[in-house]
Amino acid sequence: MQQVRNFQKELDRLLQRTSNRPRLLLHSCCGPCSAPVLEYLTQFFEVTLLWFNPNLFPEEEFHKRLHAQLELIEKMGLQDLVHVIDLPWRSEEYYNAVTGLENEPEGGKRCTECFRLRLRETALLAVQGGYDYFCSTLTLSRHKDALRINHLGEELAQQTGAVWLPSDFKKHNREARSLELCEQHGIYRQLYCGCEFSLQKRQSVAAEKAAQSTLNEG
């Protein structure tokens, strides 16, 4: 039987061997996911947060989530600990990456290519900027497969020469901590994953529930 990897324990062991403050390029998928991750990682790393999310739809949502991200860093008092690189909305890169996968279910192959796109950009910038590690907040959500994300990170590390930081940020109840921090600081929490297809799925489910509710009332 193949042993299941515990990425949090791998990170714990790495941190035990680290005496200085390595430079980390941390991709953030959104403010809520980044909240407990930043609270945790700024204790050990010199963190630069990368905002690269061309999957977000529509463009207004992209800017709304970026604002929430910047607001969160300020309200958590992390301005002096977290540098931010915010890249513009490059939606054409996302649509090129998922061409032919539009009808895939949520969590399927389309999501894998979305993860790959964002992690590749992070890895390339990590090499360009001379960072010690790169990573992503994506593993915070219980809806995201930490094994798949870590495998992609390791694959891209081999391709680019960057060093992947293993993680499963949902460990130690950090997803609940995200809710606490967002409520405490009044941070916007989105209602769908981010892309056009996840928005359509949410709207479809909401419409089905409304129709069922109407039938039940009748």
Side-chain angles (χ1 to χ4, degrees), residues 26 37-38 63 77 92 100 117 164 167-168 186 205 212 217:
L26 175 69
V37 176
L38 289 174
H63 293 293
E92 70 283 354
L117 172 67
W164 173 252
S167 74
D168 189 353
V205 170
Q212 186 62 47
E217 290 175 358

Side-chain angles (χ1 to χ4, degrees), residues 193-208:
C193 182
C195 71
E196 177 180 2
F197 309 104
S198 64
L199 176 59
Q200 291 172 352
K201 177 65 175 178
R202 181 183 181 277
Q203 291 171 335
S204 174
V205 170
E208 289 176 5

Side-chain angles (χ1 to χ4, degrees), residues 5 116 119-127 131-135 149-166:
R5 290 175 64 182
R116 191 191 310 276
L119 291 177
R120 180 186 292 114
E121 183 74 8
T122 311
L124 291 172
L125 289 177
V127 172
Y131 290 88
D132 298 295
Y133 299 97
F134 77 105
C135 193
I149 292 165
N150 278 278
H151 281 179
L152 283 170
E154 291 168 346
E155 173 187 315
L156 290 164
Q158 291 181 346
Q159 293 173 5
T160 63
V163 180
W164 173 252
L165 188 74

Side-chain angles (χ1 to χ4, degrees), residues 109-122:
K109 294 179 181 179
R110 186 181 64 245
C111 294
T112 297
E113 294 312 309
C114 179
F115 298 157
R116 191 191 310 276
L117 172 67
R118 291 184 282 173
L119 291 177
R120 180 186 292 114
E121 183 74 8
T122 311

Side-chain angles (χ1 to χ4, degrees), residues 52-57 89-91 94-95 114 117-118 193-196:
F52 175 64
N53 295 298
N55 57 307
L56 296 182
F57 179 88
W89 190 56
R90 292 163 19 193
S91 60
Y94 169 72
Y95 286 108
C114 179
L117 172 67
R118 291 184 282 173
C193 182
C195 71
E196 177 180 2

Side-chain angles (χ1 to χ4, degrees), residues 7-127:
F7 295 102
Q8 179 61 51
K9 287 186 176 179
E10 291 183 23
L11 177 54
D12 289 340
R13 288 194 292 269
L14 185 151
L15 293 176
Q16 289 174 2
R17 301 192 303 267
T18 301
S19 57
N20 56 356
R21 290 177 63 82
R23 297 178 66 231
L24 169 66
L25 185 60
L26 175 69
H27 166 263
S28 175
C29 56
C30 66
C33 283
S34 76
V37 176
L38 289 174
E39 183 180 55
Y40 171 49
L41 293 181
T42 50
Q43 301 175 68
F44 307 100
F45 296 93
E46 181 183 326
V47 178
T48 295
L49 183 143
L50 174 63
W51 182 263
F52 175 64
N53 295 298
N55 57 307
L56 296 182
F57 179 88
E59 185 174 3
E60 291 79 8
E61 183 71 14
F62 173 90
H63 293 293
K64 188 173 185 178
R65 296 193 193 191
L66 173 57
H67 174 76
Q69 176 70 83
L70 299 176
E71 182 183 28
L72 175 80
I73 291 172
E74 180 181 355
K75 289 187 173 181
M76 289 182 66
L78 298 175
Q79 307 97 310
D80 295 333
L81 294 177
V82 179
H83 177 65
V84 177
I85 300 174
D86 58 303
L87 300 184
W89 190 56
R90 292 163 19 193
S91 60
E92 70 283 354
E93 295 184 25
Y94 169 72
Y95 286 108
N96 288 338
V98 302
T99 297
L101 302 173
E102 293 85 352
N103 295 321
E104 283 286 314
E106 284 296 294
K109 294 179 181 179
R110 186 181 64 245
C111 294
T112 297
E113 294 312 309
C114 179
F115 298 157
R116 191 191 310 276
L117 172 67
R118 291 184 282 173
L119 291 177
R120 180 186 292 114
E121 183 74 8
T122 311
L124 291 172
L125 289 177
V127 172

